[in-house]
Amino acid sequence: MRFSIAALITMVALVAISGLAAADRLPNATPENQVFSIDTVIDVTGAVDDKTTMSWVIAGPGSIPTGILKAGQVVADVTFRDSILTNGGKLAENKNFDFSSKNQGSGLYNIEQQKVLTYASTEGAHLVGEEEYTLSVAGNYATGDDNIRCVFSQADSDILPAFCNIVSAKSSLVNVNSAQISTKGQIRGVAETADTPAALNYQIAVTPDANSGSGFAEGTVKTVFAGSIMEARDGGDDNYALSSGATWNKTSATNTWKDTTEVTGGIKTLQKAFAYTSGFRV
């Protein structure tokens, strides 16, 4: 039995509070930078196994902490993985992966990937795959003077409070027989100053293979977008609170969310988009 499914969901998570308040601040780049790209073009009738993975942890100031973060410390933990596996059929794929460990401004990213693939089954073959982006940023309280480029608050306190935020975007392809699939993902996890926010963006679109003649993509597609947010506040001019961390590390806000979609059968259109930004200026 065939049926069509149309879904378009855009989810935007913004942590924006005027003045010096709660939100991510990113570590800055190390003096040594790495920039690389991986471009993949595949046009195959037969089995395909294509994987890309990356794990990146960066902290500042100093080295990656092994215990509780000290005052002023922040650490970003980024993971990315993408895989496609077929046991036959015809696959055409064009994939571009770019990485830069340099400080990034608003609108620029440390990780970017774009992928377009078309798959058609032959002799009972099918395609499976997964793509996942995760951004985890945590920091203890720090002084604004050392972390922002310009004054954007007249508040008496110049302390950036503690936080611990994790967001992720994932898509899964299960037993796909025919489809055209395009995805795009971006992560920003490093910036020179705290007025550049953290960011994670992800988009997926599933449509019929134009050459199939059926008018439907066939298979199962799943997406999961999730986040867990913990934020403190600035605490006024209490010097004891600043020195002891008694105020700056107390949880003032929590926010968790999860969005899931699963479609199976004849898919006319599936589009999902997730956009997350967290910073002192967004």
Side-chain angles (χ1 to χ4, degrees):
M1 178 180 181
R2 292 181 179 273
F3 57 94
S4 63
I5 300 169
L8 175 58
I9 298 178
T10 302
M11 185 175 184
V12 181
L14 301 178
V15 182
I17 305 174
S18 61
L20 294 178
D24 285 10
R25 72 178 192 281
L26 294 173
N28 54 22
T30 56
E32 307 84 3
N33 297 127
Q34 295 80 42
V35 177
F36 66 85
S37 62
I38 303 171
D39 296 333
T40 303
V41 178
I42 297 174
D43 191 350
V44 173
T45 300
V48 175
D49 187 352
D50 179 39
K51 295 184 178 69
T52 304
T53 63
M54 183 172 185
S55 177
W56 181 38
V57 180
I58 182 169
S63 61
I64 298 172
T66 57
I68 297 174
L69 297 178
K70 298 178 181 178
Q73 282 189 312
V74 61
V75 58
D77 188 341
V78 173
T79 59
F80 165 78
R81 61 188 182 94
D82 173 60
S83 65
I84 291 293
L85 179 66
T86 76
N87 60 349
K90 180 174 176 58
L91 174 71
E93 179 186 48
N94 192 323
K95 181 171 69 172
N96 309 106
F97 176 84
D98 297 296
F99 171 77
S100 172
S101 66
K102 297 179 180 180
N103 290 322
Q104 302 296 326
S106 296
L108 301 174
Y109 302 92
N110 298 104
I111 288 179
E112 293 190 85
Q113 172 164 284
Q114 297 187 67
K115 177 177 65 180
V116 178
L117 69 86
T118 302
Y119 178 75
S121 174
T122 59
E123 300 179 349
H126 59 269
L127 175 148
V128 296
E130 283 191 340
E131 189 171 3
E132 184 172 19
Y133 297 77
T134 302
L135 173 62
S136 173
V137 189
N140 210 329
Y141 66 85
T143 61
D145 291 343
D146 296 331
N147 288 277
I148 59 176
R149 179 178 289 109
C150 58
V151 176
F152 53 90
S153 172
Q154 298 300 317
D156 294 333
S157 171
D158 62 349
I159 301 303
L160 309 182
F163 63 94
C164 183
N165 300 331
I166 303 173
V167 293
S168 63
K170 178 181 179 181
S171 64
S172 302
L173 309 173
V174 183
N175 295 337
V176 172
N177 294 317
S178 174
Q180 178 170 295
I181 301 163
S182 61
T183 66
K184 180 179 181 180
Q186 301 167 317
I187 288 181
R188 179 169 57 247
V190 170
E192 184 176 0
T193 55
D195 46 352
T196 299
L200 189 157
N201 302 316
Y202 184 69
Q203 302 172 21
I204 182 171
V206 181
T207 56
D209 174 9
N211 296 320
S212 70
S214 73
F216 294 91
E218 298 178 353
T220 297
V221 182
K222 305 176 183 179
T223 63
V224 180
F225 304 149
S228 175
I229 308 300
M230 296 178 64
E231 300 280 2
R233 293 184 183 272
D234 55 7
D237 293 324
D238 186 342
N239 293 326
Y240 170 76
L242 175 59
S243 62
S244 67
T247 299
W248 316 105
N249 294 344
K250 298 299 183 182
T251 304
S252 297
T254 62
N255 181 8
T256 60
W257 70 84
K258 186 175 184 180
D259 175 89
T260 62
T261 297
E262 179 176 345
V263 297
T264 300
I267 304 171
K268 186 70 173 180
T269 302
L270 170 65
Q271 298 183 56
K272 296 279 291 188
F274 172 70
Y276 170 84
T277 306
S278 176
F280 294 92
R281 175 176 294 175
V282 295

